[in-house]
Structure formats: C-alpha cells, structure tokens
Amino acid sequence: MTSPQPPARPTPGPAGGPVPVPVPWSLVAGLSALALLWPLTGLTGALGTGAPRALAIIGITAAVWIGVVGLGRVPRPVLTLTLTGLAYGLVAHAIGLLVPVLSGFGGPGDGPAWTLIPALAFDAMWGALAGVVAAGVQRLRGAGR
C-alpha cells in the first residue's frame, strides 16, 4: 500500500520566504505579438473594417490570452497577462511609429504624445482583466481534477 506524498514545500528564498516564480517572458513576448493582427488584417482586408474589425481582433486576442494562460499551467496569470497587455501596447505603438500606413492612423505625429501613457495603462488593465479570467479558468480546472 502506498501512502500519499505530502505536498511539496516551496524552497525558502534569501529572506526566508518562498522563492518567487519567474514571469514566463517568452510567453509574454509571444502573446503580445498578437498586436500584429491589426496591420495584417488591414493589409489583407480580413475581418472587414472599422468597429467590426476592431471587436473581432479584441475578441480573438482575449480568447487566445485567456485560453493559453487559463488552460496552460502558467504561473502568476494576472501578472503575466498584465505584462502581456503592456507589451502589446508597446508593439502596437512601435508599429504605428515604424509603419504608419499599417497602423490605420495618419502617422506618428497624428496624436498628442501624452496619449501613449493612458493607452499603455489601458492595455495593461485589459491584460490584468484577462489575467483574472485566466486565473478563474485555472481554478475551475484544478477543482475538476
């Protein structure tokens, strides 16, 4: 007869607390690359134009983020997707600066520079919200096992 294994204890860190789990930076980079959907759909004409295209891209991006992080065993889902949202905003802004025709706007000087900070904050909050949903998916999956 075998006895159940006791739960693994986290290795203590330098201050005696548990060692923090590192953020999966490659996953953050990969998921933030979905910002490329905007210029790609603009070039191909896929998903239409205007609000339907924007809503489709937002829906696809959110579903992929929540699916990958929620169904995967990604540690710290809220932090991971918050950083993903921030990186997504930086990629989208870089695309707008480097290839203004693909961004859907007039050019890099088209809007005031101060709008970058609120836009990045919005993207980070969007990522945090997706992270909360992904954490809920992880908890639901853990409860079923």
Side-chain angles (χ1 to χ4, degrees):
M1 180 171 196
T2 60
S3 61
Q5 296 274 339
R9 301 178 95 191
T11 308
V19 175
V21 177
V23 174
W25 290 106
S26 58
L27 180 65
V28 169
L31 291 176
S32 66
L34 287 172
L36 298 173
L37 282 176
W38 186 260
L40 289 175
T41 57
L43 282 173
T44 62
L47 303 178
T49 60
R53 174 178 160 215
L55 291 173
I57 291 171
I58 289 170
I60 290 167
T61 302
V64 169
W65 287 4
I66 293 166
V68 167
V69 175
L71 298 176
R73 294 177 185 225
V74 178
R76 302 166 73 181
V78 177
L79 177 62
T80 299
L81 287 180
T82 300
L83 293 172
T84 299
L86 183 62
Y88 180 97
L90 290 171
V91 169
H93 184 70
I95 291 168
L97 289 175
L98 297 174
V99 193
V101 173
L102 297 180
S103 70
F105 303 106
D110 216 20
W114 65 266
T115 61
L116 175 62
I117 300 301
L120 291 177
F122 180 78
D123 289 331
M125 286 189 300
W126 179 41
L129 179 62
V132 168
V133 174
V137 170
Q138 285 183 352
R139 281 199 188 111
L140 286 173
R141 289 193 67 223
R145 290 184 186 181

